[in-house]
Amino acid sequence: MNLTLVIIIVCVVIAIALVVVFLVFGRSEANFTFDIGGGGPKASGGSDTSSETNTHSRLKGQLIVSGGVFGVLIAKLFSMQVLSSDEYVEQAESNRTRSVSIAASRGRILDRNGKEIVTNRPSLTVVAEGDVADDDIEVQLLANLIGMPALAVKRKIEDTSTGAQSLRSVSVDVSRRVVAYIAEHPTVFDGVEVEELTQRSYPYGSVAAHVVGYTGTVTADQLNSQSDDEGAVQYNSGDIVGQSGVELEYESVLQGIDGEQIVYVDADGNVLDYSSTIEPKSGSDILLTLDIDVQQAAEESIQKVVEYQKSLGYRADGASAVAIDCTNGEVIAMASYPTYSPNIFVGGISTGDWENLQSESSNYPLMNRAIAGQYPSGSTIKALTTLAALSYGIATASSSWYCTGWWTGFGEAYGMKCWWESGHGSVNLVTGITYSCDVVFYEIGKGFYYADADKQEGMQETFKKFGLGQTAGIDLPSEAAGRVPDAEWKWNYWSDADDDARTWQGGDNCNLAIGQGDLLVTCLQMVDAYCGIANRGTIYQPHVLKSVKSAEGDGSVIDYEPKVILTPEEDSANFDVVDEGLSGVIYQESDSQTIHWTNLNEQVRGKTGTAEQTSSGEPIGWFIAFVPAEDPKYVVGANVDHVLSGATSAMYVVRDIIGAIYNEPDDQELNSTNVDR
C-alpha cells in the first residue's frame, strides 16, 4: 500500500478519535461537576470553580489546535496525492531523464546547374564519455593515439556544450588505424567510441570560397543576438553555424532542426537506458546563380595573371572579378584573391591557421575583395564622366580638344600630365574613351568646376545615380559602400586642416573625372554601373540566390524574383557616344590588345583602367566589358592590385571569363605591350 495513503488513513483515524473525545467530554461537562471536598459528582446546576473552568478551556484549545494541524496535513497530502499528482510525477520523471541533442545535417549549396559546391560527408569521429576526462592515463593514451596534446583532448572531453549526457567529440576524420586500435583495446579505452558523424565538405576546395563562406562553432554574440520569434532556429553552445558568405547569409535556410534522444539516468547522471527519439530534420538545399565552371575559370585566370605580373616584377597581391547577367542581376561568377579553402574550418581551425588568414602578410585571404575591396576606379570611370558631361551640357558629341601630353587648364603652375606623355593630338569624347586621353576628362572636370552652382556636382550626381557611393544590396555580408567625394565631404573629412586645404578645388574635379583622387569603388559597383550602360538605364539588384529547394523532395519553395534598384536616365544619343568609345577600346586602341578579342565570335564593348595608388606606388589594373555588344547579356569586370596596367592584367581575366561563358577560350599569349590606361 502507498505510504502516503497509510499516513492519510492514520491522520483521519486520529482526527475522528479527537472529535469523539471532544464530544464525549463536552456532554459530561454539561451534566456533572466533580466535588472533591463533597465526595463525588453533583448535578451541574451548582457553580464551578475557577481552576476547573481554566482546565476545561485549555483542553478545548489543545483539541482545536490538534485538529487544525491534522486537518492541514490531510489537506496538503490530499493536494499532493490527488490534485497535483501529475505535476509531481512529471518532476520525478524529469529527474531521471535527460535530453540529448541529435545534430541535423545542413542543406547543400549547389551551382545553377545543380553541381554540389558545398555538401555533407560522413566522418569517422572519436567520441568519449565525460568521465574519461578524470582518467589522466587514458587521456594521455588517447592523445598519443590520435596525435593531439593531452590537454587539448581533456578540454574537448570536458566540453559539455552539446549536453552533459552527450558523447564529446574529440577528433574528426580519424584514420582506419585509429578506429581499429580503439576497437581492439576496449579495456584500455573504456568510454571511448568511434562514430560516423556528418561534416561539411567543399569538394571544389577554394573555388567560390568567398561566396559560399565557411561554418564554425556558434559565437557568444550569435547566441545573445538570436531571435526569439516563433519558428526561429534556437542555437545552443557548441552548435555549428554559418560564419561568412552564403553559409551565414542563408543560415536560417541551411540550418536544419536538431533531433532529440531521451535517456534515463541515475543519480550520478550516468545513462541507464534510452527512451523516445525525435529524428532530426535536414536543412534546405540552396541553388545559387553561380556557374561553377565559369567560377573556376575566373579563379584560374586570376592565378595565371598574378603569376605573370610577378614575373614582370610587380607585387600582384590582390584581385577580384565579377560576372553578372545584366538582364536580371544574377551573379555568374565572383572571385577574390588571395583565397582560402573552407575545408580548413571543418572540425575546428588551428590557432596558427586562423592567425595566417587574418594577417597582413597574407593580405587577408578571408576578405571578399569583389564586394569589400575599395579602390580608385581609374579610367573605367570615364564612361560615366562622359555621360555626365553630355547630360549637363559641359560637352557635346562634337566637342574636341588637343592633347599634347601636358594640360594647363588651371595655369602652368597647376599643370597635369596625360598618361600618354607624347600626347594624343586631336581628340573628342569617343576617342577620349577609346584611347583613354586624360586631357579630355580634365577639360570636363574644369567645365563642371566653372559651371553654374546647380551643375557643379553633376559628375557626383551621375556617379551616384549609377550606383557608386552606396551598397547595391547583394545577398552577401560585408558589402562596402565606396565613396563619391564632393565639397561637403572634403570639408568635413579634413576638419583639422586649414580652410584652403579643406575647400574643393578644380584639381579635385579633374582627379574625379579620371577616377583618381578620393573616389573609391568596388568591383561589384563598377560592374553594376556598366550594367546600367549596357541596359541603357536599368540596373538590377545583384544576387547569388537563385532558389531554395524543398526539403521534402523536388521543386522549389522560394524562387528569387529579379528587382530593379536603379534607373539612371540618359538620352539614347549619349549612350551611343559611350558605346562607340567602348567599342574602340576593344577593336581599335591596340593591335596587341585587339587580338585577344577578334578570336571571339561575340562582339564586345569594354574599358581599361589603371589607377595610381599613392600608398603603395604600384597601380591597380581594371577592365570591364559587356557582351554581346548589340544586345548585352553579361557584364564582366576585374581588377588586379599592384600591376603594370589594366590592359596587361585585368583584361586577360575578363577575356577568360567571357571565353568560359561562351566556351571560346583565348588562344593568345599574355604580353606586356598593352599599356592602355
Side-chain angles (χ1 to χ4, degrees):
M1 183 180 293
N2 188 291
L3 179 61
T4 306
L5 185 58
V6 172
I7 295 173
I8 292 176
I9 294 172
V10 172
C11 290
V12 170
V13 171
I14 294 173
I16 293 172
L18 288 172
V19 171
V20 170
V21 172
F22 180 77
L23 291 175
V24 171
F25 179 79
R27 187 179 296 112
S28 300
E29 184 188 34
N31 295 297
F32 301 98
T33 62
F34 192 80
D35 185 355
I36 299 175
K42 295 182 178 181
S44 60
S47 58
D48 298 329
T49 66
S50 174
S51 61
E52 290 174 338
T53 301
N54 290 339
T55 300
H56 296 155
S57 298
R58 285 195 298 271
L59 184 56
K60 287 180 182 180
Q62 290 172 356
L63 289 171
I64 291 171
V65 171
S66 299
V69 170
F70 282 112
V72 171
L73 287 173
I74 293 169
K76 181 60 178 176
L77 289 170
F78 179 78
S79 171
M80 293 173 63
Q81 288 295 311
V82 179
L83 300 181
S84 302
S85 61
D86 291 343
E87 178 184 348
Y88 286 108
V89 168
E90 183 178 340
Q91 290 182 12
E93 183 69 14
S94 67
N95 287 335
R96 73 188 194 98
T97 60
R98 294 291 185 272
S99 173
V100 178
S101 177
I102 305 174
S105 297
R106 290 177 68 83
R108 299 174 302 159
I109 301 176
L110 315 173
D111 89 332
R112 65 188 302 113
N113 300 310
K115 295 180 180 179
E116 290 182 337
I117 306 176
V118 185
T119 185
N120 303 299
R121 61 172 175 79
S123 168
L124 293 174
T125 304
V126 173
V127 295
E129 296 175 359
D131 55 7
V132 172
D134 299 328
D135 189 334
D136 291 339
I137 295 177
E138 185 174 359
V139 168
Q140 185 62 61
L141 290 173
L142 184 58
N144 294 341
L145 178 63
I146 61 180
M148 288 177 62
L151 181 59
V153 171
K154 187 178 180 69
R155 286 177 176 173
K156 283 180 175 289
I157 298 175
E158 290 175 338
D159 181 10
T160 60
S161 59
T162 57
Q165 277 67 44
S166 297
L167 295 173
R168 291 80 188 273
S169 176
V170 179
S171 181
V172 300
D173 293 332
V174 296
S175 67
R176 294 288 179 180
R177 178 188 65 84
V178 171
V179 175
Y181 195 87
I182 291 175
E184 292 168 0
H185 300 82
T187 56
V188 175
F189 298 106
D190 185 31
V192 177
E193 302 175 16
V194 176
E195 290 187 350
E196 187 173 88
L197 303 180
T198 297
Q199 295 284 357
R200 211 61 166 149
S201 175
Y202 303 84
Y204 286 91
S206 62
V207 177
H210 294 91
V211 176
V212 299
Y214 63 90
T215 58
T217 305
V218 64
T219 65
D221 289 341
Q222 289 171 321
L223 286 173
N224 294 332
S225 62
Q226 62 182 327
S227 173
D228 294 327
D229 295 342
E230 184 178 352
V233 176
Q234 296 299 307
Y235 299 114
N236 298 308
S237 179
D239 285 348
I240 300 300
V241 300
Q243 297 292 356
S244 71
V246 170
E247 293 274 30
L248 173 60
E249 188 75 15
Y250 291 104
E251 166 66 21
S252 61
V253 176
L254 293 166
Q255 184 67 257
I257 301 174
D258 287 349
E260 184 179 61
Q261 170 77 66
I262 305 299
V263 298
Y264 293 106
V265 298
D266 60 18
D268 295 323
N270 299 312
V271 177
L272 301 176
D273 200 358
Y274 296 89
S275 180
S276 60
T277 300
I278 300 175
E279 294 298 329
K281 184 179 179 181
S282 299
S284 298
D285 293 343
I286 283 180
L287 197 71
L288 298 184
T289 58
L290 295 186
D291 184 318
I292 197 63
D293 295 329
V294 177
Q295 178 73 29
Q296 208 159 11
E299 298 194 26
E300 289 174 355
S301 180
I302 286 176
Q303 185 65 46
K304 176 182 68 175
V305 168
V306 163
E307 292 174 359
Y308 172 66
Q309 287 292 322
K310 287 182 176 180
S311 73
L312 299 178
Y314 293 89
R315 286 163 52 190
D317 54 0
S320 66
V322 177
I324 288 181
D325 183 336
C326 61
T327 66
N328 55 26
E330 291 184 354
V331 176
I332 308 302
M334 177 179 285
S336 181
Y337 174 87
T339 187
Y340 68 98
S341 173
N343 285 310
I344 200 173
F345 289 92
V346 176
I349 186 171
S350 69
T351 301
D353 286 337
W354 176 251
E355 290 177 350
N356 183 58
L357 291 175
Q358 297 280 349
S359 70
E360 182 179 1
S361 61
S362 299
N363 207 16
Y364 309 108
L366 293 178
M367 177 183 180
N368 184 353
R369 284 170 165 75
I371 63 173
Q374 301 178 95
Y375 311 95
S377 69
S379 295
T380 57
I381 203 69
K382 290 174 179 176
L384 299 184
T385 305
T386 299
L387 290 174
L390 292 169
S391 180
Y392 284 87
I394 303 301
T396 68
S398 59
S399 296
S400 64
W401 303 268
Y402 193 86
C403 171
T404 64
W406 181 251
W407 182 77
T408 57
F410 290 118
E412 188 66 34
Y414 301 99
M416 302 174 74
K417 67 178 182 179
C418 179
W419 75 270
W420 191 250
E421 295 184 22
S422 61
H424 288 99
S426 181
V427 286
N428 55 29
L429 288 177
V430 171
T431 55
I433 294 174
T434 294
Y435 297 100
S436 206
C437 178
D438 290 332
V439 167
V440 170
F441 298 94
Y442 293 154
E443 288 288 347
I444 292 174
K446 176 185 174 182
F448 274 111
Y449 186 70
Y450 288 121
D452 295 339
D454 61 338
K455 294 182 178 181
Q456 286 181 357
E457 294 193 346
M459 275 193 300
Q460 290 94 328
E461 291 172 6
T462 299
F463 295 175
K464 289 176 181 178
K465 76 179 183 179
F466 276 86
L468 304 188
Q470 58 195 290
T471 60
I474 189 171
D475 49 344
L476 288 173
S478 305
E479 180 188 4
R483 181 173 66 211
V484 177
D486 55 22
E488 181 182 8
W489 171 85
K490 185 179 181 183
W491 182 264
N492 293 330
Y493 186 81
W494 298 103
S495 58
D496 294 333
D498 58 49
D499 287 356
D500 187 57
R502 297 173 67 187
T503 301
W504 190 264
Q505 306 290 345
D508 295 319
N509 256 23
C510 292
N511 280 329
L512 183 63
I514 64 170
Q516 293 285 175
D518 295 308
L519 177 70
L520 290 176
V521 299
T522 68
C523 188
L524 177 65
Q525 284 178 325
M526 290 307 297
V527 169
D528 264 352
Y530 272 68
C531 284
I533 296 172
N535 291 333
R536 296 194 164 216
T538 302
I539 300 176
Y540 287 88
Q541 186 172 54
H543 59 95
V544 298
L545 177 69
K546 192 170 182 65
S547 65
V548 175
K549 310 298 288 182
S550 172
E552 306 300 328
D554 295 334
S556 302
V557 292
I558 298 175
D559 288 305
Y560 188 94
E561 294 293 333
K563 177 183 177 182
V564 174
I565 55 171
L566 294 169
T567 53
E569 295 183 1
E570 295 286 345
D571 288 345
S572 180
N574 295 351
F575 283 119
D576 288 343
V577 171
V578 171
D579 280 353
E580 187 178 351
L582 296 178
S583 180
V585 172
I586 301 296
Y587 301 108
Q588 297 175 21
E589 196 276 333
S590 165
D591 289 341
S592 60
Q593 184 170 298
T594 298
I595 60 173
H596 292 278
W597 299 102
T598 52
N599 58 4
L600 185 70
N601 288 327
E602 302 293 338
Q603 292 288 298
V604 181
R605 290 173 181 152
K607 184 71 187 82
T608 53
T610 305
E612 302 297 332
Q613 301 182 98
T614 55
S615 60
S616 63
E618 293 179 347
I620 177 171
W622 285 87
F623 196 86
I624 306 173
F626 55 85
V627 60
E630 297 302 326
D631 186 18
K633 173 68 173 176
Y634 301 105
V635 178
V636 183
N639 57 32
V640 187
D641 204 5
H642 301 124
V643 293
L644 171 61
S645 68
T648 62
S649 59
M651 188 197 75
Y652 298 132
V653 176
V654 172
R655 173 61 182 88
D656 286 339
I657 293 174
I658 293 176
I661 292 174
Y662 289 100
N663 196 25
E664 296 182 39
D666 185 12
D667 56 6
Q668 298 296 313
E669 295 293 326
L670 279 62
N671 65 78
S672 59
T673 59
N674 302 326
V675 292
D676 183 24
R677 311 288 279 187

